[in-house]
Amino acid sequence: MIDDQDIRACLQRRLTTKFVGRNLFYYRQLATTMETAKELVKKGAAEGTVVIAGKQTAGKGRIGRTWLSPEGSLAMSVILKPPLENLPQLVMIASLAVVRAIKQVAGLETQIKWPNDVMIKGKKVCGILIENEVEGGRVNFAVIGIGVNVNFQPPDFPEIADIATSLSHEVGAEISQVELTSILLLELERLYLEAQAGAAVHREWQENMETLGKLIKVDTGKTVEQGKAETVTAKGNLLLRRDDGSLVEIVAGDVTLIKD
Ligand code: BTN
């Protein structure tokens, strides 16, 4: 049986990144990679440190939801320490890295559902959760949590059967976790460095977004806005044209499609 150290070594051999994943922790099972990553930050973990779990028993989703991570899913947290001005771009960088990696490894086209879901034909294949600590105008850390449904069959899990898909379900064959992870980390590092050099990552993000041009409802937790999703700003905020013609800028929320 291959052990955790073998999986870790195999992944690191495949990595061609400069710093992302150079410090890598692999666990067969964790409660959530987010908490483990934050514990590592407190102990001084370097930027680029990655935590991966073969499965999670208490996977965290956005807005207090749980995230199902059975065996066969990719559950990963990446520790970054960006300048404050690049913090809003992390969600765009992460979802674009996922879009690129899935295309390269599984040959599948995906769409981004604002703000941070990656979809295949209307079903969710990846969720992204970002947690950070900012103090005195400085980012102490950001942890990007990425969960991809890779090699399991969502129809076997009633709680997500209607809303989720997986790469193996779409392709009809197993996908290499090692290849997907190493390419995802490479794309993530590339986009992260490009963003810090001033690249407009929101342009490629926009091109891959299914939400734009659609009539949607956005629940921000405080208000519910309805209108046409017009565009996104350089920070990744959504500009929504209300029915009365006014434009509202939304930082985060839950999107429901009203019609195409
Ligand atoms: C969402 O769509 O609600 C976000 C889901 C984020 C899931 C990932 S899996 C790796 C990391 N660890 C967690 O517990 N959550 C994130």
Side-chain angles (χ1 to χ4, degrees):
M1 183 171 141
I2 81 168
D3 68 18
D4 295 6
Q5 287 313 315
D6 292 337
I7 297 177
R8 182 176 168 274
C10 183
L11 253 166
Q12 282 204 305
R13 267 198 306 277
R14 288 293 285 272
L15 274 181
T16 52
T17 50
K18 293 186 183 76
F19 66 97
V20 172
R22 291 286 145 205
N23 192 26
L24 191 142
F25 295 82
Y26 178 88
Y27 302 88
R28 195 153 291 248
Q29 179 177 307
L30 277 180
T32 155
T33 57
M34 298 305 280
E35 291 314 312
T36 305
K38 285 189 281 182
E39 281 161 21
L40 288 167
V41 168
K42 302 280 179 236
K43 291 182 190 150
E47 178 168 62
T49 298
V50 169
V51 180
I52 298 177
K55 66 176 180 177
Q56 298 184 118
T57 53
K60 280 171 79 174
R62 285 176 59 231
I63 40 179
R65 294 183 184 139
T66 56
W67 177 259
L68 186 78
S69 315
E71 223 168 283
S73 55
L74 170 62
M76 171 164 87
S77 289
V78 183
I79 298 168
L80 294 174
K81 302 182 180 179
L84 187 60
E85 65 266 29
N86 296 109
L87 190 60
Q89 294 168 319
L90 292 187
V91 64
M92 297 189 267
I93 288 166
S95 49
L96 275 177
V98 170
V99 167
R100 290 183 183 181
I102 290 178
K103 174 81 183 149
Q104 287 174 55
V105 178
L108 293 168
E109 295 294 340
T110 52
Q111 299 79 40
I112 294 165
K113 181 179 171 202
W114 186 88
N116 50 6
D117 292 342
V118 181
M119 318 288 287
I120 298 179
K121 292 179 248 154
K123 292 197 166 179
K124 185 156 162 171
V125 71
C126 164
I128 292 162
L129 173 70
I130 298 185
E131 297 184 338
N132 59 62
E133 188 181 281
V134 177
E135 206 177 20
R138 258 188 87 244
V139 179
N140 288 339
F141 67 84
V143 176
I144 303 184
I146 302 176
V148 187
N149 302 337
V150 188
N151 292 320
F152 70 92
Q153 294 301 316
D156 295 344
F157 297 87
E159 59 272 52
I160 59 163
D162 293 338
I163 53 166
T165 189
S166 72
L167 299 182
S168 63
H169 189 67
E170 294 296 324
V171 171
E174 291 247 319
I175 298 297
S176 163
Q177 287 263 18
V178 168
E179 209 187 332
L180 183 75
T181 308
S182 56
I183 291 180
L184 177 39
L185 291 176
L186 179 65
E187 294 296 348
L188 187 76
E189 178 181 276
R190 198 174 268 159
L191 285 155
Y192 181 63
L193 294 175
E194 284 170 2
Q196 288 189 34
V201 284
H202 70 290
R203 299 248 165 78
E204 186 182 339
W205 200 53
Q206 259 174 336
E207 284 162 18
N208 286 281
M209 194 171 295
E210 66 163 24
T211 317
L212 297 184
K214 305 260 171 74
L215 202 52
I216 58 169
K217 199 191 271 184
V218 190
D219 185 348
T220 68
K222 289 191 187 123
T223 55
V224 178
E225 292 283 354
Q226 187 172 313
K228 191 172 173 194
E230 209 156 274
T231 188
V232 288
T233 66
K235 285 187 172 173
N237 298 343
L238 183 70
L239 293 181
L240 189 81
R241 181 73 64 186
R242 295 186 182 114
D243 295 344
D244 66 4
S246 60
L247 204 57
V248 58
E249 183 167 337
I250 306 174
V251 179
D254 240 16
V255 169
T256 320
L257 196 65
I258 297 174
K259 66 173 192 232
D260 279 316

